[in-house]
């Protein structure tokens, strides 16, 4: 192993202490606490649409951006065919659902869609009875309704923060989440060890 790779692995090990938590377990934050949640999602896009598998997401919780990860979550999107955006919506809903009352949350994502949706668009969608401005149905409108309702009910202060893709690619927290989400995506809906349809063994 090259020295740079060994150093990177050492840094990642120092950053991450927990194994992914059980889906319904609580967060190690008291009521009114401020924390950072970083979310990541990905799907499998191939040249053959019929080979698509579900998307998956992963979440890292920290007291602040410079602190060690204190909790990790990851899960597949439970659908035969699903998208990265759906994964981001479900990850956001889980963050909001798990947050203690009166918490202040900085939610980081490389997906501008979810950041804009959280900060601005959801207010417009709500006024439009959870439809887009063109009248079309909103993707995962049920989740957006829950996100909005929980923010109000739990008195949360939530700020979406966009992390540019280039910055996310070199960020260790995003690297951890990418690894977890990839594993969940690849395992879901097929036997462990089965090859991904549409990909060669060398890819």
């Amino acid at each position: 192993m090259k020295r740079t790779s060994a150093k990177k692995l050492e840094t990642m090990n120092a950053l991450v202490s927990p194994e992914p938590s059980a889906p319904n377990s609580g967060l190690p934050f008291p009521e009114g606490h401020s924390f950072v949640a970083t979310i990541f999602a990905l799907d499998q896009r191939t040249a053959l649409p019929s080979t698509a598998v579900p998307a998956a997401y992963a979440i890292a919780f920290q007291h602040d951006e410079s602190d060690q990860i204190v909790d990790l979550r990851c899960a597949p999107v439970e659908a035969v065919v699903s998208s990265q955006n759906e994964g981001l919506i479900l990850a956001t809903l889980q963050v909001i659902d798990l947050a203690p009352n009166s918490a202040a949350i900085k939610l980081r994502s490389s997906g501008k869609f979810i950041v804009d949706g959280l900060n601005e668009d959801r207010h417009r969608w709500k006024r439009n009875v959870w439809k887009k401005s063109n009248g079309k149905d909103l993707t995962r409108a049920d989740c957006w309704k829950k996100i909005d309702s929980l923010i109000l009910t739990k008195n949360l202060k939530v700020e979406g923060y966009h992390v540019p893709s280039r910055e996310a690619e070199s960020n260790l927290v995003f690297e951890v989440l990418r690894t977890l989400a990839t594993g969940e995506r690849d395992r879901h809906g097929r036997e462990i060890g089965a090859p991904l349809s549409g990909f060669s063994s060398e890819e």
Side-chain angles (χ1 to χ4, degrees):
M1 182 182 293
K2 295 181 180 178
R3 182 176 299 178
T4 54
S5 298
K7 182 64 177 176
K8 188 174 185 180
L9 181 61
E10 179 183 337
T11 304
M12 287 180 68
N13 287 338
L15 179 69
V16 184
S17 60
E19 292 292 324
S21 297
N24 297 322
S25 59
L27 293 176
F29 302 131
E31 186 171 320
H33 191 76
S34 298
F35 65 88
V36 174
T38 304
I39 64 173
F40 181 83
L42 79 171
D43 50 24
Q44 181 177 307
R45 300 177 184 180
T46 73
L48 302 173
S50 62
T51 66
V53 297
Y57 63 87
I59 312 167
F61 295 92
Q62 299 166 275
H63 290 285
D64 60 63
E65 290 179 50
S66 63
D67 192 27
Q68 186 179 36
I69 293 173
V70 296
D71 196 284
L72 284 169
R73 311 279 167 136
C74 56
V77 177
E78 299 287 347
V80 175
V81 177
S82 49
S83 69
Q84 180 182 35
N85 281 349
E86 288 179 86
L88 290 174
I89 295 169
L90 290 172
T92 300
L93 176 57
Q94 187 168 18
V95 171
I96 301 303
D97 189 40
L98 289 170
N101 291 338
S102 302
I105 308 165
K106 181 175 184 178
L107 189 142
R108 303 193 309 157
S109 173
S110 58
K112 200 169 186 303
F113 156 79
I114 198 69
V115 172
D116 290 345
L118 192 59
N119 289 345
E120 302 171 5
D121 295 340
R122 68 183 171 91
H123 303 294
R124 184 176 69 254
W125 294 333
K126 187 176 183 179
R127 290 194 298 270
N128 290 341
V129 196
W130 301 106
K131 289 186 179 292
K132 298 179 181 179
S133 55
N134 61 9
K136 292 184 178 181
D137 291 337
L138 182 66
T139 301
R140 293 278 181 169
D142 58 329
C143 292
W144 282 113
K145 289 179 189 178
K146 290 179 183 177
I147 289 169
D148 184 73
S149 176
L150 285 169
I151 289 174
L152 294 174
T153 303
K154 300 173 79 170
N155 190 32
L156 302 177
K157 181 179 179 181
V158 186
E159 174 194 5
Y161 181 80
H162 180 240
V163 180
S165 296
R166 185 169 297 178
E167 181 180 333
E169 287 174 2
S170 60
N171 183 284
L172 290 172
V173 174
F174 277 96
E175 185 166 340
V176 169
L177 298 182
R178 186 180 297 108
T179 299
L180 290 174
T182 299
E184 288 296 302
R185 178 202 65 184
D186 292 354
R187 281 193 295 271
H188 185 55
R190 66 189 183 91
E191 294 181 4
I192 300 297
L196 287 174
S197 181
F199 285 82
S200 73
S201 60
E202 297 177 354
E203 290 181 324

